[in-house]
Amino acid sequence: MPKTLIADLFVETLELAGVERIYGVVGDSLNGLTEALRRRGTIEWVHVRNEEAAAFAAGAEAQLTGKLAVCAGSCGPGNLHLINGLYDCNRTRVPVLAIAAQIPSAEIGSNYFQETRPEALFRECSVYCETISDADQMPRTLDTAIRAAVGHRGVAVVAMPGDVALRTTTGVIARSRTALLPEAATIIPDQDSLARLAALLNDAGKVTILAGRGCRGRMRNSSRLPACSRHRSSMHSAARNS
């Protein structure tokens, strides 16, 4: 089977996921990825003042579009600066993929200059966090990270040494965009629960409904609830995270 450069396959997978831009600060451990972006010319690299701004920018994009957004940081303090923004992204439940470059794979565990442990640092602010240590591991790990970010509405972190990005693999990208991006789950309460809720509303003297983030995209249907009650009701939408 023909072999593909890991960095090219990485970018091709992001293209399939509908990613249009990556926010970050360039660094030598990201050279493989940024060169692949330059060659392909399909995804924009948005240079920011620092990596913290990159994470917040990705979070803002995900909030506004509802789609997967991406940020990146080089090894050591580069990706460490992502953490503030990633905590915010994960708490507000937006789909963000963070690319955390790592020191050369042969130097891991040697107290190398700027060595950190991204898989430990980012575990508390992500729904998925994994290090790619082998070229053939990359396709499945990246696919899993994207599915986790989109499916769980949170941050997925992929750490990868710069030298791994320059290796080749026989792996392939996901079969289709549908296979890569899970559909949002629809939760429908059972009829008994709906009947009990209707009874609570009808038996109340005056009802105020505070609709938060869980009603995102459903306010049109939610606003019909007062009409279902015999009593006058008022509805307010929480501006934050709604």
Side-chain angles (χ1 to χ4, degrees), residues 32 42 77 119 150 228:
T42 52
E119 65 275 14
V150 174
C228 299

Side-chain angles (χ1 to χ4, degrees), residues 173-189:
I173 64 171
R175 296 183 303 278
S176 66
R177 187 172 181 179
T178 304
L180 186 61
L181 302 177
E183 293 288 335
T186 301
I187 301 174
I188 302 176

Side-chain angles (χ1 to χ4, degrees), residues 78-234:
N79 62 60
L80 187 59
H81 288 157
L82 294 170
I83 200 163
N84 238 12
L86 295 186
Y87 260 104
D88 181 75
C89 294
N90 207 47
R91 293 289 172 86
T92 53
R93 298 189 64 186
V94 291
V96 169
L97 174 68
I99 304 167
Q102 179 58 299
I103 64 172
S105 54
E107 304 294 344
I108 294 176
S110 66
N111 200 29
Y112 187 80
F113 175 65
Q114 293 188 336
E115 179 178 6
T116 60
R117 295 287 183 180
E119 65 275 14
L121 287 168
F122 297 112
R123 195 161 299 281
E124 291 298 316
C125 61
S126 63
V127 296
Y128 180 87
C129 183
E130 195 57 68
T131 296
I132 298 172
S133 55
D134 182 80
D136 292 334
Q137 177 195 357
M138 193 285 291
R140 176 175 289 184
T141 301
L142 181 57
D143 288 0
T144 303
I146 291 173
R147 291 190 186 101
V150 174
H152 294 288
R153 307 293 296 179
V155 172
V157 181
V158 172
M160 183 169 62
D163 59 296
V164 174
L166 298 174
R167 298 176 189 171
T168 58
T169 181
T170 56
V172 295
I173 64 171
R175 296 183 303 278
S176 66
R177 187 172 181 179
T178 304
L180 186 61
L181 302 177
E183 293 288 335
T186 301
I187 301 174
I188 302 176
D190 61 85
Q191 291 300 315
D192 288 343
S193 297
L194 288 174
R196 288 196 298 271
L197 175 59
L200 286 172
L201 292 174
N202 286 325
D203 292 343
K206 189 174 182 180
V207 178
T208 297
I209 299 173
L210 179 64
R213 182 169 52 204
C215 293
R216 177 185 294 167
R218 297 171 178 82
M219 287 307 298
R220 180 177 298 176
N221 291 334
S222 299
S223 63
R224 294 167 56 189
L225 271 175
C228 299
S229 174
R230 293 194 301 267
H231 302 284
R232 185 177 179 181
S233 305
S234 60

